[in-house]
Amino acid sequence: MPQRAWAVIAGVGSGTGSSIARRFAKNYAVALLSRKSSNFEPIVQEINDAGGKAFGINADTSDAQSIKMAFEQLKKETGGKLAAAVYNVGGGLVKKPFLELKEEELEAAWGANGRGGFLFAQEVLPLLLAQAETSPQYPPTLIFTGATAALKASATFLTFAAGKFAVRAIAQSLAREFGPKGIHVAHAIIDGVIDIEKSKNFDLGPEAKISPDAIADAYWFLHTQPRTCFSQEIDLRPAREKW
Amino acid sequence: MPQRAWAVIAGVGSGTGSSIARRFAKNYAVALLSRKSSNFEPIVQEINDAGGKAFGINADTSDAQSIKMAFEQLKKETGGKLAAAVYNVGGGLVKKPFLELKEEELEAAWGANGRGGFLFAQEVLPLLLAQAETSPQYPPTLIFTGATAALKASATFLTFAAGKFAVRAIAQSLAREFGPKGIHVAHAIIDGVIDIEKSKNFDLGPEAKISPDAIADAYWFLHTQPRTCFSQEIDLRPAREKW
Amino acid sequence: MPQRAWAVIAGVGSGTGSSIARRFAKNYAVALLSRKSSNFEPIVQEINDAGGKAFGINADTSDAQSIKMAFEQLKKETGGKLAAAVYNVGGGLVKKPFLELKEEELEAAWGANGRGGFLFAQEVLPLLLAQAETSPQYPPTLIFTGATAALKASATFLTFAAGKFAVRAIAQSLAREFGPKGIHVAHAIIDGVIDIEKSKNFDLGPEAKISPDAIADAYWFLHTQPRTCFSQEIDLRPAREKW
Amino acid sequence: MPQRAWAVIAGVGSGTGSSIARRFAKNYAVALLSRKSSNFEPIVQEINDAGGKAFGINADTSDAQSIKMAFEQLKKETGGKLAAAVYNVGGGLVKKPFLELKEEELEAAWGANGRGGFLFAQEVLPLLLAQAETSPQYPPTLIFTGATAALKASATFLTFAAGKFAVRAIAQSLAREFGPKGIHVAHAIIDGVIDIEKSKNFDLGPEAKISPDAIADAYWFLHTQPRTCFSQEIDLRPAREKW
C-alpha cells in the first residue's frame, strides 16, 4: 500500500493552526506540534472522526532537543512523504515600554520565532527536498506565519517585531536558496486580529477580524502553486482593516 | 432570466490577458479590451466555442474618450453585473540610457500604466460598488498587473518603472479606500519573464518562465478571498528566478 | 576670472525651496525656478543683499518647452559649472474620494512630479556629467524632494501618491545609472508638515513641524558625501511625528 | 569644572568603529567597547595623543552581565553626560548552505546583533533620556549600524540576515518610542564592502569600497540633526555599487 503524504504544522491551538490542519487534512495526513497536548487534542480528534488522519505531538519548537525528538517520532509514525510544512508558532507578543522589558521577554520572542523557525526548517527541508525529486502533485512547501510586525516595528512591541523581522529574513533567505531546488518557501503577513476564541471579546464590528479558515485557504493556495509561479510573500487582512 | 455576471479584462493579447480571460470565463461572461481586435479575437472565439461567453472591444485605455465609449458599449451589451475587473495593460518597457529617452516614451509608459489604470478604475469602481451591495458570491474585485519594476527602478528602465510605481500607488490607495466598502483591490508583482509567444526564444532553461495560466489561477484565487481575508499584494515568480 | 559654480533649485516659494537656496548660496551662485516671479523674488533679493549671488527664472517644469527655455537662459547667464540641482516641485496634493477625482487632477500631479522631474533631470544631468570630469570639491548632485506618499499611498491621496511614487522611481533609476559616473542622485522622504507660512495655523504643538532649514542642511550634507559613501534615500521627520 | 559630555561606541576594531570614535572625539570624550583590548588600544592612544579623551573597556555586548559591568565602570569613569551612543557590533556573517548551518552560528548572529543591540540600548537610553532634559546642543542620539542584509535576506547568508533584520526592528521600534522623548534613534544601511584592513585584498577597482571616515561623517551628521528633522534610516554605499 502506498504511503500517504503528510503535512506538519507547528503551532496548533484553537485558532489558525487548527484551521490550517483542517484544510491540509483534506489531502494529507497531518502531524500537529504544540507545547501542550490540550492544544492539539480537539482538532486531532475532529479530523480523525471525520475520516482524516491526524496525530499530535508535544514539542517546544524553540528547543533543539525537543524538536529533534519530535521529528524522530514523526518520521517513524508517518513513514511517509512530507508534502508541506507550516511554521505557525507565535510568541513574544508583549506590549511594554522598552525600559520595562526584560531580556527573557526578548529571548522568548526570539526563541519562538527566529530560533524555532530555523530549527523547524532544518528538520523539514531535507524531507521536502527528498519529496521534490519524486514529482509530487504540488511542489513541497514550507510556509511561515508572519505578522504586520514583520514589516513595521511599532513602539512598545519591540520584542515581537524583533522576532517577526527575523523569521521574515529566514523565510526570504530560504526561498532564495531552496526555490531553485523546487521547494516553495513562503511568508504570510497576517495583518489584523484573527477571529479566534482569544479575541472574541474584541468588539471591532462585523467582518473586522481575519477568518482563520480563510488564512488556511490562502496557505493551501500557496501550496498548490506550480514551480513556474511561486508567491514568496502574501498579506492577509480584513477588508475593513486600516493599514 | 437572471443576468449573467461578467468580468472585464483590459490588456488582452496572446499572453497573460488571454489566460486570465480563459480562467474567469469559467464563471463569468468576459469582456476583453485591447487596442487591436486581432489581440482578442482568438481568445473570444476560443471561449465562445467552448460554451463560455466572451466578446471583445477596441479601446485605448490611456485615452479617456476611448475608455468611456468602450464602457458605454460594455454596459449596454452585458446589461449585467460586474464581478471582477483586471487591469493588465503594460507598456513603456523601453531599455535605454536616460539621456536618450524621449518625453514621448515617458508619456507612453505613464499613459498605459498610470493614467490608464486610473481611467479604468473610474469606470469599473461604480459598477463594482453596486455589486457589493447585492451579496455576490465573491467580493467584487479589481486587480492590477504590476512588475518587479513597481518595487525597484533599475538603471535604463526608468520609464517603465515610473509607470509601474505609479500604478502600484493607485492600487494601494484604492485598496485602502474601497476595501472598507467591500471591494477587493489587489496588485500583482510579476517578477520574471512570462512564458508567452513573444518570449519563446528566450532560452532560460526549463521552468524558468512564469506560466500565464498560473498567473490567472492566482488572480482567480484573489477574487475568491472573502472580505475577512484580502491580500493586497502578491508576488509571482518562477522557482528558479534570481531576485 | 574663474567661473563660479552654481546650483539650480526648481520649486522655490516661501518654504523649503528658499531654505535650500539660502543654504546652497553659501557656496554657490544659485538659480531659482518657479512658475511665478513673486515666489523667488524675496529670496533672490535676500541672497544678493547678503553678498551671495542668486537669480530667478520663470519656468513651468512640467512643460518641456518652458523648461528648455529656462535652461537655455540659465546656461547663458551662469556660463558656469553646475555643482548641484534640486527638484523640489510638489503639486497634485488633492484630498478627495477617488470617484470625485478628475483626470486633470491626476495629470497635474503627474506633470509636476513625474514629467517635471524627468525633464529637469534631462537638462541638468549633461551639465553635472561635464562637471564630474573636472574633479569638483563635491560630487555633482541631483536631489529630488519626495514625501511619505512616495512610500505609502493613502486613501483619498491617490493623485499625489501616484506622482510621488513615480518621482521616486525616477530618482532611484537615475541613481543606479549615474552613480557609477560619479553623480550623486538622492531622494528625500519628507514625512510630516513643514513649518512654513502655509502651515502656520496647523497647531500641532511645539517642534512638531519639520524645519525647512534643517531639510536644507540635510540636502547640503548629501551634496558633500564623497563618491565612496553616497546615500540614495533619506527620511526627514519631526521627532514627535507618528509614523 | 563642568563635566565633559561623552559618546560610547560598541564594536570598535580597526575599521568603522575607529573612524566613528575619531569623529566623535572631536567633540566628546569617547568610551570604546570591544571584546578584545587590542581592538581599541590603537585608537584610544591615537585620540589621547591628539589631545582628545578616549578610553576602552572590554565587554561582550551579547552578554547581559558583561555589558552591565562595562556600563557600571563607564558611568564611574565618565561621571558625565552621554551625548551619543553607537551600536556598531556585527557578527554572524557566515556564508553557508542552510543545511550546513549550526544552531550556534544562528545564535552568534542573534547575540551580536539582536540581543546585543537590545542590551546596549537598555543601558544607554536612561542616560540619553537624562541628557534630553538638559537642552544639549544636539539631541541625544543612538545609532545602529545595519547592512544590506537588514533589508534583503540572500540565500546562504541566513544567520546574518536574521540578526540584521532583528536589529533593524529594534532601531525602528526605539525610534518610534523615544523620538517623542527627544532621543534620535537611527539605523544605517551599510551597502557594500567597507574599505578596511580586512578587505584590502578585495580588488573591486577604484572608489568601490565605502570609506569608514565617510560613514563616521554621516553618523555625526545624524547626531547634529535637530528634533524638527530626524532621519531614521540612511543608506550608505559607494557610487559604483550595484544594488
Side-chain angles (χ1 to χ4, degrees):
Chain A
M1 200 185 88
Q3 286 174 329
R4 192 169 188 176
W6 56 291
V8 58
I9 298 143
V12 173
S14 60
T16 316
S18 287
S19 290
I20 299 167
R22 203 177 283 115
R23 181 64 193 80
F24 280 72
K26 290 186 189 173
N27 293 59
Y28 302 125
V30 291
L32 311 181
L33 304 187
S34 186
R35 274 188 298 188
K36 290 192 294 184
S37 307
S38 58
N39 279 340
F40 55 66
E41 276 162 0
I43 182 71
V44 164
Q45 183 162 352
E46 178 194 321
I47 289 170
N48 287 324
D49 287 354
K53 187 168 173 199
F55 59 95
I57 192 161
N58 285 109
D60 174 356
T61 55
S62 70
D63 180 75
Q65 199 52 30
S66 172
I67 204 165
K68 194 181 184 68
M69 283 171 56
F71 271 87
E72 272 168 23
Q73 191 180 334
L74 279 177
K75 282 182 260 187
K76 234 175 282 173
E77 295 203 24
T78 64
K81 309 175 283 183
L82 187 61
V86 177
Y87 192 73
N88 184 54
V89 178
L93 186 45
V94 176
K95 181 171 166 51
K96 268 192 185 178
F98 175 67
L99 293 173
E100 294 176 20
L101 283 171
K102 293 191 177 4
E103 189 185 354
E104 305 87 83
E105 291 168 318
L106 180 74
E107 289 298 327
W110 164 251
N113 294 284
R115 188 195 313 126
F118 175 93
L119 294 171
F120 182 78
Q122 288 213 324
E123 292 293 338
V124 300
L125 278 162
L127 303 173
L128 296 171
L129 284 169
Q131 273 323 99
E133 290 168 10
T134 67
S135 303
Q137 183 180 10
Y138 303 120
T141 301
L142 168 55
I143 301 174
F144 293 87
T145 298
T148 320
L151 295 179
K152 179 179 169 177
S154 298
T156 72
F157 283 107
L158 182 142
T159 59
F160 188 59
K164 287 299 187 191
F165 269 60
V167 87
R168 182 171 181 247
I170 290 171
Q172 202 180 95
S173 176
L174 293 177
R176 289 194 167 96
E177 182 174 349
F178 292 93
K181 297 173 181 172
I183 311 296
H184 186 178
V185 183
H187 180 245
I189 307 279
I190 311 292
D191 183 17
V193 173
I194 304 176
D195 192 7
I196 54 177
E197 187 59 26
K198 270 195 286 188
S199 67
K200 75 173 178 187
N201 292 324
F202 296 5
D203 185 12
L204 305 175
E207 296 191 316
K209 296 176 193 168
I210 310 178
S211 154
D213 289 348
I215 294 175
D217 287 340
Y219 284 21
W220 180 257
F221 169 72
L222 291 171
H223 177 49
T224 66
Q225 288 185 306
R227 300 211 291 205
T228 48
C229 193
F230 279 176
S231 295
Q232 204 277 316
E233 192 155 81
I234 192 171
D235 54 322
L236 299 167
R237 70 173 62 78
R240 294 180 42 193
E241 184 74 14
K242 216 170 147 41
W243 55 287
Chain B
M1 201 184 87
Q3 287 175 328
R4 194 169 185 175
W6 57 293
V8 60
I9 297 142
V12 174
S14 60
T16 316
S18 288
S19 290
I20 299 168
R22 203 177 283 118
R23 181 63 193 81
F24 280 71
K26 291 186 189 174
N27 293 59
Y28 303 125
V30 291
L32 312 181
L33 304 187
S34 187
R35 274 186 297 188
K36 290 193 292 185
S37 306
S38 57
N39 280 339
F40 54 66
E41 276 161 1
I43 182 70
V44 163
Q45 183 162 349
E46 178 194 322
I47 289 170
N48 287 324
D49 287 355
K53 189 170 174 199
F55 60 95
I57 192 161
N58 285 109
D60 173 357
T61 55
S62 69
D63 180 74
Q65 200 52 32
S66 172
I67 204 166
K68 193 182 185 67
M69 282 172 55
F71 271 87
E72 272 169 23
Q73 190 180 333
L74 279 178
K75 282 183 261 188
K76 234 176 281 174
E77 294 203 25
T78 64
K81 310 176 280 185
L82 186 62
V86 177
Y87 192 72
N88 183 54
V89 178
L93 186 45
V94 176
K95 181 170 166 53
K96 266 192 187 178
F98 175 66
L99 292 173
E100 294 175 19
L101 283 171
K102 293 195 177 1
E103 188 185 355
E104 305 87 82
E105 291 169 317
L106 180 75
E107 289 298 326
W110 164 251
N113 294 284
R115 189 195 314 125
F118 175 93
L119 295 171
F120 182 77
Q122 288 213 324
E123 291 293 338
V124 300
L125 277 163
L127 303 174
L128 295 171
L129 283 170
Q131 273 322 99
E133 290 169 10
T134 67
S135 304
Q137 183 180 9
Y138 303 121
T141 301
L142 169 56
I143 300 174
F144 293 88
T145 297
T148 319
L151 296 179
K152 179 179 168 175
S154 299
T156 69
F157 284 107
L158 183 142
T159 59
F160 189 57
K164 287 300 186 190
F165 269 60
V167 87
R168 182 171 183 247
I170 290 170
Q172 200 180 96
S173 176
L174 292 177
R176 289 195 167 95
E177 181 173 350
F178 291 93
K181 295 172 183 173
I183 310 296
H184 187 179
V185 183
H187 180 245
I189 307 280
I190 311 293
D191 183 16
V193 173
I194 304 175
D195 191 5
I196 54 177
E197 187 60 25
K198 271 194 286 188
S199 67
K200 75 174 175 187
N201 292 323
F202 297 5
D203 185 13
L204 305 175
E207 296 191 315
K209 296 177 193 167
I210 310 177
S211 154
D213 289 347
I215 295 175
D217 286 340
Y219 283 22
W220 180 257
F221 169 71
L222 291 171
H223 177 50
T224 66
Q225 288 185 306
R227 302 213 288 207
T228 48
C229 192
F230 279 175
S231 296
Q232 205 277 315
E233 193 155 79
I234 193 171
D235 53 323
L236 299 167
R237 72 172 61 77
R240 293 180 44 193
E241 183 75 10
K242 216 168 147 44
W243 52 286
Chain C
M1 200 185 89
Q3 285 175 329
R4 193 168 186 175
W6 57 292
V8 60
I9 298 143
V12 174
S14 60
T16 315
S18 287
S19 290
I20 298 167
R22 203 178 283 118
R23 181 64 193 80
F24 280 71
K26 290 186 190 175
N27 292 59
Y28 302 124
V30 291
L32 312 181
L33 304 187
S34 187
R35 274 188 298 189
K36 289 192 294 184
S37 307
S38 57
N39 280 340
F40 55 66
E41 275 163 358
I43 182 70
V44 163
Q45 183 162 353
E46 178 194 321
I47 289 170
N48 287 325
D49 287 354
K53 188 167 174 200
F55 60 95
I57 191 160
N58 284 109
D60 174 356
T61 55
S62 69
D63 180 74
Q65 199 51 32
S66 172
I67 204 166
K68 195 182 184 67
M69 282 172 55
F71 271 86
E72 272 169 23
Q73 191 180 333
L74 279 177
K75 282 183 261 188
K76 232 176 284 172
E77 294 204 23
T78 64
K81 311 175 282 184
L82 186 62
V86 177
Y87 192 72
N88 184 54
V89 177
L93 186 45
V94 176
K95 181 171 166 52
K96 267 192 186 178
F98 175 67
L99 293 173
E100 294 176 19
L101 283 171
K102 292 191 177 3
E103 189 186 353
E104 305 88 81
E105 290 169 317
L106 180 75
E107 289 297 329
W110 164 251
N113 294 284
R115 189 195 313 127
F118 175 93
L119 295 171
F120 182 77
Q122 287 213 323
E123 292 293 338
V124 300
L125 277 163
L127 303 174
L128 295 171
L129 284 170
Q131 273 322 100
E133 290 168 10
T134 66
S135 303
Q137 182 180 12
Y138 304 120
T141 300
L142 168 56
I143 300 173
F144 292 88
T145 298
T148 318
L151 296 179
K152 179 179 169 176
S154 298
T156 71
F157 283 106
L158 183 142
T159 59
F160 188 59
K164 288 299 185 191
F165 270 59
V167 86
R168 182 171 181 248
I170 291 170
Q172 202 179 96
S173 176
L174 293 177
R176 289 193 167 97
E177 182 174 349
F178 292 94
K181 296 173 182 172
I183 310 296
H184 187 179
V185 183
H187 180 246
I189 307 279
I190 311 292
D191 183 16
V193 173
I194 304 176
D195 191 6
I196 54 177
E197 187 59 26
K198 272 195 285 188
S199 67
K200 74 174 178 186
N201 292 323
F202 296 6
D203 184 13
L204 304 175
E207 296 191 315
K209 296 177 192 166
I210 310 177
S211 154
D213 289 347
I215 295 175
D217 287 340
Y219 284 20
W220 179 257
F221 169 71
L222 292 171
H223 178 48
T224 65
Q225 287 185 307
R227 301 211 291 204
T228 48
C229 192
F230 280 175
S231 296
Q232 204 279 314
E233 192 155 80
I234 193 171
D235 53 322
L236 300 166
R237 72 173 60 77
R240 293 180 42 194
E241 185 73 12
K242 216 169 148 41
W243 54 287
Chain D
M1 200 185 89
Q3 287 174 328
R4 194 168 184 176
W6 58 290
V8 59
I9 298 143
V12 173
S14 60
T16 317
S18 287
S19 290
I20 299 168
R22 203 176 283 118
R23 181 63 193 82
F24 280 71
K26 290 186 190 174
N27 293 59
Y28 303 125
V30 292
L32 311 181
L33 304 187
S34 187
R35 274 188 296 189
K36 290 193 293 185
S37 306
S38 56
N39 279 340
F40 53 67
E41 276 162 1
I43 182 71
V44 163
Q45 184 162 351
E46 178 195 321
I47 290 170
N48 287 324
D49 287 355
K53 188 168 174 199
F55 60 95
I57 192 160
N58 285 110
D60 173 356
T61 55
S62 69
D63 180 74
Q65 198 53 32
S66 172
I67 205 167
K68 194 183 184 68
M69 281 172 56
F71 271 88
E72 272 169 23
Q73 191 180 334
L74 279 178
K75 282 182 260 187
K76 235 177 278 173
E77 293 203 26
T78 64
K81 310 176 281 184
L82 187 62
V86 177
Y87 192 72
N88 184 54
V89 178
L93 185 45
V94 176
K95 181 170 166 53
K96 268 192 186 178
F98 175 66
L99 292 173
E100 294 175 19
L101 282 171
K102 292 192 178 2
E103 189 186 354
E104 304 87 82
E105 291 169 318
L106 180 75
E107 289 298 327
W110 164 251
N113 294 284
R115 188 196 313 126
F118 175 93
L119 294 171
F120 182 78
Q122 287 213 324
E123 292 293 337
V124 301
L125 277 163
L127 303 174
L128 295 172
L129 283 170
Q131 273 322 99
E133 289 169 11
T134 67
S135 303
Q137 184 180 9
Y138 303 120
T141 301
L142 169 56
I143 300 173
F144 293 87
T145 298
T148 319
L151 296 179
K152 179 178 169 176
S154 299
T156 70
F157 284 107
L158 183 142
T159 59
F160 188 58
K164 288 299 187 191
F165 270 60
V167 87
R168 183 171 181 246
I170 290 171
Q172 201 180 95
S173 176
L174 293 177
R176 289 193 167 97
E177 182 174 349
F178 291 94
K181 296 173 183 173
I183 310 296
H184 186 179
V185 183
H187 180 245
I189 308 279
I190 311 293
D191 184 15
V193 173
I194 304 176
D195 191 6
I196 55 176
E197 187 60 25
K198 272 194 285 189
S199 67
K200 74 175 175 186
N201 292 324
F202 296 5
D203 185 13
L204 305 174
E207 295 191 316
K209 296 177 192 167
I210 310 177
S211 153
D213 289 348
I215 295 175
D217 286 341
Y219 283 22
W220 179 257
F221 169 72
L222 291 171
H223 177 49
T224 65
Q225 288 186 305
R227 301 212 290 206
T228 48
C229 192
F230 279 176
S231 295
Q232 205 279 315
E233 193 155 78
I234 193 170
D235 53 323
L236 299 167
R237 72 173 59 80
R240 294 181 42 194
E241 184 74 13
K242 216 170 147 44
W243 54 286

